[in-house]
Amino acid sequence: MREYKLVFTGPMGVGKTTAIAAISETAPISTDVANADTSVAKATTTVGLDFGQVTLDNGDRLRLYGTPGQARFDFVWKILVRDALGLAILIDNSRPDPLADLAVYLDGFADAIRKMPCALGVSRMSSHPSPTLDDYAGALAARGLVFPMLAVDPRRRDDVVALIETLLMQIEVLDEEVAP
């Protein structure tokens, strides 16, 4: 049995905790506290990490970690991404400047992004169609980055599974390239 550590990151309120809860086979562990940030209408926020796990059909286990959303916790980001095999960045398209939000996480995880598979999940695209996935691809390309992007609803198990499968496919390809 192999274990994979996957990390979910993105702004506060984007759905990291929700995504992990949507697929975890055990009740997720969460470090949510009362939200003191009045700029975001949210009762609680993660200040440490979220954790859940999923066992795949072949017996491999996915350990899922969610980061705090606020950049002031970037020191936790660096700890959580250590030894991870994949990074999922979640962005909420209904926020005032989702491309600027993406830039925060591309900068904050720049070292990790160079070393591991990444995928971008964009939520609320049906109600807020702009920016488009092409706009996100352009933002990535401007930094010399290319990775898969999906429209996701973090409340929907199938959407979260699709995002994780995208990461796992990249990991599998890398494993095959490294194999003798």
Side-chain angles (χ1 to χ4, degrees):
M1 173 184 77
R2 297 189 309 184
E3 289 197 359
Y4 298 99
K5 177 181 180 183
L6 303 179
V7 175
F8 287 78
T9 195
M12 181 169 77
V14 76
K16 300 174 297 289
T17 303
T18 302
I20 290 171
I23 62 168
S24 181
E25 61 195 23
T26 60
I29 296 169
S30 180
T31 58
D32 283 5
V33 299
N35 177 26
D37 183 351
T38 57
S39 69
V40 178
K42 188 174 184 248
T44 62
T45 187
T46 302
V47 295
L49 62 91
D50 295 316
F51 175 78
Q53 62 184 10
V54 175
T55 303
L56 301 176
D57 291 341
N58 66 0
D60 290 352
R61 181 171 295 135
L62 301 179
R63 294 179 289 131
L64 311 168
Y65 292 84
T67 70
Q70 302 95 322
R72 67 184 177 176
F73 293 116
D74 65 346
F75 66 95
V76 178
W77 301 353
K78 290 170 181 39
I79 294 167
L80 290 178
V81 79
R82 195 176 302 141
D83 299 323
L85 291 180
L87 176 69
I89 302 172
L90 297 176
I91 298 294
D92 179 346
N93 229 33
S94 72
R95 287 179 45 96
D97 193 347
L99 292 174
D101 289 341
L102 176 61
V104 168
Y105 296 91
L106 294 177
D107 291 341
F109 287 90
D111 290 340
I113 289 169
R114 285 192 296 272
K115 298 174 188 173
M116 70 180 62
C118 299
L120 174 63
V122 183
S123 67
R124 297 191 174 125
M125 289 200 74
S126 58
S127 61
H128 295 80
S130 182
T132 65
L133 289 180
D134 286 341
D135 296 327
Y136 286 101
L140 292 173
R143 293 171 174 258
L145 300 171
V146 176
F147 46 83
M149 299 170 289
L150 303 144
V152 299
D153 181 338
R155 300 169 298 185
R156 294 194 48 192
R157 177 175 170 56
D158 290 347
D159 286 7
V160 179
V161 167
L163 186 62
I164 288 174
E165 285 176 344
T166 300
L167 283 172
L168 292 178
M169 283 187 277
Q170 293 177 73
I171 292 166
E172 187 173 305
V173 167
L174 287 174
D175 282 350
E176 289 173 4
E177 289 174 358
V178 173

